[in-house]
Amino acid sequence: MSSDGHADGDGGIAVENVDIYYDDIQAIWDVSLEVRESDNVVSLVGPNGAGKTTILKAMSGLLDVRDGRITVFGDDIESFAPSDIVEKGFIHIPEDRELFPHMTVRENLEMGAYPKQAREVRHETMREVFELFPILEEKEQEEATNLSGGQQQMLAIGRGLMSKPRILALDEPSTGLAPQITEDVFEVVEDLGERGITVFLIEQHVHHALHLADRAYVIEQGSIVAEGTGEELLESDHIQDAYL
Ligand code: ATP
């Protein structure tokens, strides 16, 4: 075990030649990608319906893969429950945030600290979350439903942080947010990366997501069509023509 209580075994998360189906319909075709802990931000971008959420759900153990494999910190997750993957240090904040609307901000945060190693340090982690998002401390006794969209996104990220992730995935965190609030969310993503939490960012805001990314992938119609550093992809003809 490492000093933070997680099992050792680097390699982050590797998706290797994965095919995923919904019943008989293939949604993902031979996709490979890597999220290494040495990266600050890894982005997966692509249009609506390209398969971004499907891949993320498979990485979280919420969907089975038909071919290929996914390893999380060195272990094949085929027989893992989603909670095992959280325990290992990979947490996924879904696009709809899935907050508990009638629980307070503090209660929502506490719900995030369910892995054993996170429970033990939850008071300290909550202090860090409040330092990152002072508004959550101001509103700690408010019900989540009374927060603005941007504050709810901060709470969803804060709740994810309470589980002490090594890698935190954000599925379109800018959905439904005003442009200025979206900027704030991207600043948080950058900050988390710099604090040593690798962020796997799924986004339709291609420019932002590539700008922040050490490594990035472009998915279209269920297949990866380009990969490279964020900078390389920003300069590529395909990205320039199709997205910017
Ligand atoms: P968005 O930006 O709209 O969330 P996405 O890139 O995340 O798009 P997915 O939601 O992964 O894309 O969808 C990939 C493909 O799988 C789409 O063709 C979609 O219609 C299909 N799909 C997604 N969820 C299901 C489901 N539960 N049952 C059947 N097909 C699905």
Side-chain angles (χ1 to χ4, degrees):
M1 298 282 272
S2 59
S3 57
D4 62 3
H6 289 292
D8 281 331
D10 199 358
I13 301 180
V15 173
E16 298 171 26
N17 306 107
V18 157
D19 290 342
I20 303 173
Y21 287 71
Y22 288 105
D23 296 322
D24 288 338
I25 300 180
Q26 188 163 3
I28 298 298
W29 307 74
D30 197 28
V31 162
S32 296
L33 59 84
E34 254 189 296
V35 185
R36 295 186 195 144
E37 280 193 280
S38 52
D39 293 320
N40 285 0
V41 179
V42 177
S43 294
L44 175 63
V45 300
N48 257 333
K52 303 179 297 298
T53 301
T54 300
I55 291 174
L56 183 52
K57 283 185 173 167
M59 292 162 78
S60 304
L62 299 168
L63 277 178
D64 290 335
V65 306
R66 175 111 26 126
D67 286 304
R69 67 173 197 155
I70 300 178
T71 57
V72 173
F73 307 115
D75 288 335
D76 190 326
I77 62 167
E78 194 179 4
S79 60
F80 280 22
S83 57
D84 298 330
I85 295 169
V86 173
E87 293 271 354
K88 282 187 71 71
F90 178 56
I91 183 112
H92 155 190
I93 315 289
E95 187 173 2
D96 64 7
R97 299 167 194 148
E98 292 179 5
L99 294 170
F100 300 102
H102 298 297
M103 287 188 177
T104 65
V105 165
R106 173 174 280 273
E107 287 163 347
N108 268 276
L109 291 173
E110 279 169 355
M111 295 298 284
Y114 61 89
K116 183 171 175 295
Q117 71 274 7
R119 241 185 349 263
E120 286 164 2
V121 293
R122 67 186 185 283
H123 299 298
E124 187 187 326
T125 315
M126 197 172 301
R127 270 200 304 279
E128 289 165 10
V129 169
F130 284 156
E131 187 191 308
L132 192 61
F133 305 118
I135 188 71
L136 296 183
E137 185 165 25
E138 272 173 45
K139 303 214 170 223
E140 65 175 306
Q141 297 307 332
E142 282 281 352
E143 288 189 0
T145 190
N146 294 333
L147 302 184
S148 69
Q151 291 163 358
Q152 290 190 8
Q153 184 60 58
M154 304 300 173
L155 178 55
I157 295 173
R159 191 180 59 184
L161 293 174
M162 290 296 295
S163 76
K164 298 297 280 176
R166 295 158 77 170
I167 299 181
L168 177 78
L170 299 176
D171 192 353
E172 310 221 12
S174 64
T175 297
L177 302 183
Q180 179 52 51
I181 310 297
T182 296
E183 297 286 336
D184 295 346
V185 169
F186 286 120
E187 266 179 40
V188 167
V189 168
E190 191 167 19
D191 196 13
L192 291 175
E194 284 165 4
R195 285 168 183 245
I197 297 168
T198 299
V199 179
F200 181 48
L201 177 64
I202 288 190
E203 258 300 332
Q204 286 187 50
H205 279 88
V206 172
H207 184 269
H208 269 113
L210 294 182
H211 183 69
L212 288 178
D214 304 295
R215 182 201 317 276
Y217 299 87
V218 183
I219 184 167
E220 293 174 4
Q221 296 177 14
S223 299
I224 300 290
V225 297
E227 64 182 272
T229 65
E231 211 169 309
E232 282 164 358
L233 291 182
L234 275 172
E235 286 169 6
S236 79
D237 290 343
H238 178 70
I239 294 289
Q240 292 276 343
D241 294 346
Y243 297 97
L244 301 178

